[in-house]
Amino acid sequence: MRKLAPALLLPLLACPQPGEDGGADTDATGTEDGSGSSTGGDTDSSSDTGSDATEGGSDTDSDTGDPPAGLSALGFAWVPTGISAEWVGFGDFDGDGIDDVFAKTLGGPGRTHLGDGTGSFEAVADVELGWPADFMRAGDFDGDGDLDVAVFDEYSNDDFQVTLNDGAGAFGEPLIIPIEGFFGFGVIPLHANDDELHDLFIPQGHSEGALLAVATGAGEFSEALTLMGAGCYFSATAVADVDGDGLDDVAGTGSCNAVPDFLPLTIYRHVGEGGALDVAQSLWGELGPVLEGADVVFADVDADGDLDLLTPTTLGVYVIRDTGGGTFADPPEVLAHTYADYPRRLEVLELGSPGALAFVLGAEPYDSDPSAALLTPNEDLSALSTELLDDPGRIVGSGDFDGDGRPDLAVMHGSLPGELGLWLSGG
């Protein structure tokens, strides 16, 4: 397979390399945590090759032995999954409408855990991954209608892995996809053209923009194009069709260590020659400072049918409203809160009534335990109430694990391996 190389190099600002706290956890998406991101040994099932055991329901995640508190007042139910992992990612791997878990076991293989909609999971298959393997992204990379998995090393400049799904959550031997350049942070799948395949938007290093690797089928990718961006480097991305043309658009946020007090946010839409993905708007909201590596999220915060953008800053949460047709207001609004930590994780939860949202912010300090806060907007979205969450664990992403169409919150407790728990929106 030919090596993916940039077909076009466009200059960006020349900036120093990011600090050690730069970059976004991609979780997998997680975060990623798979988008979130990142991060093989003892596992949560009965053998090193998978098992028919069903996990969930028996463990608690606080020092007292009680389940963590905080989201139950909003109708969420705490469910310990029994899944122990180095990192996790999420996707509906068996096509039943319920999100499942792909877990990287500590010192061992990747493992698929299929969900039943109650927070219980069955470990069904293992796949040996090349080393290192730091986070995953789910997408249909062979066009057969089910989600495959791409696995990345945060620091490699040589290749990434793609393992194809058999439709029932079992993944084949990984394909090695050569690629030049630094993977950066915020790798995200998207539909960049009108075929059924997911392509990959892959942020690069300083002054190198991002690569758009176009899937050609069977888990392979064509030569990658380089896209410019407003910042020195990307630290988080989000994808959605913001202009209604049926193709995915991308928002990428980043920073420059040398100039920390602004938000370079780049909006990519299909505005280039022949409808190619290209820069449509750059926002420089000098209200900052932004938090290097903080998440960026699409959500309809004002219930007008358009997707807006949110990202944490040291002043509060930036709200960047879509003014129509995928164009965003500049400068952003700032919703202040009293959460004192530096939160980089942001998840948007839907409450019971239509359009009612709440935000969960999470921080992972180097010298103390993770913390998190629940932020609830007032009716006109002008202020946030702040409630610290008890024993929140690390926020690692969200998914629909109970099949009710609303996002559930995923967290990890403990170090390595961590224990996965879910806050299910169905109560």
Side-chain angles (χ1 to χ4, degrees):
M1 182 182 298
R2 64 181 175 180
K3 196 171 188 71
L4 298 183
L8 176 64
L9 294 176
L10 298 174
L12 301 179
L13 300 173
C15 302
Q17 292 296 315
E20 64 178 6
D21 63 344
D25 286 341
T26 53
D27 148 13
T29 57
T31 139
E32 236 108 359
D33 26 72
S35 225
S37 53
S38 252
T39 39
D42 296 332
T43 69
D44 57 311
S45 64
S46 58
S47 75
D48 288 338
T49 58
S51 82
D52 294 330
T54 299
E55 304 97 344
S58 61
D59 296 332
T60 56
D61 289 296
S62 68
D63 293 337
T64 65
D66 298 324
L71 297 183
S72 56
L74 298 179
F76 285 72
W78 171 252
V79 178
T81 68
I83 295 174
S84 176
E86 185 176 348
W87 53 257
V88 293
F90 312 120
D92 181 4
F93 299 122
D94 58 357
D96 65 353
I98 295 169
D99 278 341
D100 309 303
V101 177
F102 184 89
K104 172 63 173 66
T105 61
L106 185 62
R111 179 164 297 156
T112 310
H113 304 261
L114 299 182
D116 67 359
T118 69
S120 292
F121 295 83
E122 180 183 2
V124 297
D126 285 3
V127 59
E128 295 294 337
L129 301 174
W131 185 90
D134 293 324
F135 65 95
M136 60 80 79
R137 289 291 180 263
D140 185 1
F141 303 122
D142 57 2
D144 64 356
D146 52 50
L147 290 178
D148 310 303
V149 166
V151 179
F152 297 86
D153 163 20
E154 287 184 338
Y155 305 103
S156 171
N157 60 359
D158 295 322
D159 53 51
F160 62 92
Q161 306 170 65
V162 171
T163 176
L164 301 179
N165 188 353
D166 69 354
F171 292 89
E173 182 178 352
L175 306 171
I176 305 301
I177 311 298
I179 194 167
E180 292 178 353
F182 173 63
F183 280 122
F185 310 100
V187 176
I188 198 162
L190 74 160
H191 288 294
N193 50 45
D194 58 4
D195 64 23
E196 298 300 318
L197 300 165
H198 278 100
D199 311 300
L200 286 170
F201 183 94
I202 306 175
Q204 298 293 285
H206 271 272
S207 305
E208 295 177 351
L211 297 181
L212 178 62
V214 178
T216 59
E220 298 187 356
F221 293 81
S222 71
E223 186 173 82
L225 301 177
T226 297
L227 303 171
M228 64 173 289
C232 298
Y233 61 93
F234 291 99
S235 58
T237 55
V239 61
D241 179 8
V242 298
D243 54 10
D245 65 355
L247 299 175
D248 284 335
D249 309 299
V250 176
T253 187
S255 186
C256 283
N257 298 68
V259 191
D261 293 343
F262 70 90
L263 163 81
L265 178 68
T266 306
I267 309 297
Y268 295 90
R269 292 171 31 222
H270 294 266
V271 297
E273 184 176 352
L277 193 69
D278 205 346
V279 175
Q281 186 180 6
S282 296
L283 293 91
W284 307 82
E286 298 186 12
L287 305 176
V290 298
L291 292 171
E292 190 174 54
D295 292 335
V296 58
V297 178
F298 280 112
D300 185 3
V301 298
D302 48 15
D304 65 352
D306 294 323
L307 290 173
D308 311 297
L309 280 163
L310 301 102
T311 190
T313 77
T314 55
L315 295 182
V317 176
Y318 270 146
V319 178
I320 310 156
R321 297 185 191 249
D322 187 333
T323 59
T327 299
F328 292 85
D330 191 11
E333 304 167 33
V334 176
L335 292 180
H337 56 76
T338 57
Y339 182 33
D341 279 326
Y342 286 80
R344 290 177 170 83
R345 301 287 71 78
L346 170 63
E347 294 292 336
V348 179
L349 303 179
E350 297 178 16
L351 306 183
S353 57
L357 303 178
F359 313 135
V360 177
L361 289 180
E364 299 172 26
Y366 294 112
D367 56 354
S368 60
D369 293 334
S371 65
L374 173 67
L375 308 181
T376 306
N378 62 0
E379 188 172 349
D380 63 357
L381 200 70
S382 61
L384 296 171
S385 66
T386 305
E387 177 188 355
L388 293 180
L389 298 179
D390 176 50
D391 190 24
R394 281 188 303 120
I395 297 171
V396 295
S398 60
D400 185 5
F401 303 105
D402 55 11
D404 68 351
R406 294 190 288 156
D408 309 305
L409 185 67
V411 301
M412 296 281 278
H413 284 86
S415 54
L416 291 179
E419 301 293 328
L420 176 66
L422 304 175
W423 283 103
L424 298 182
S425 60

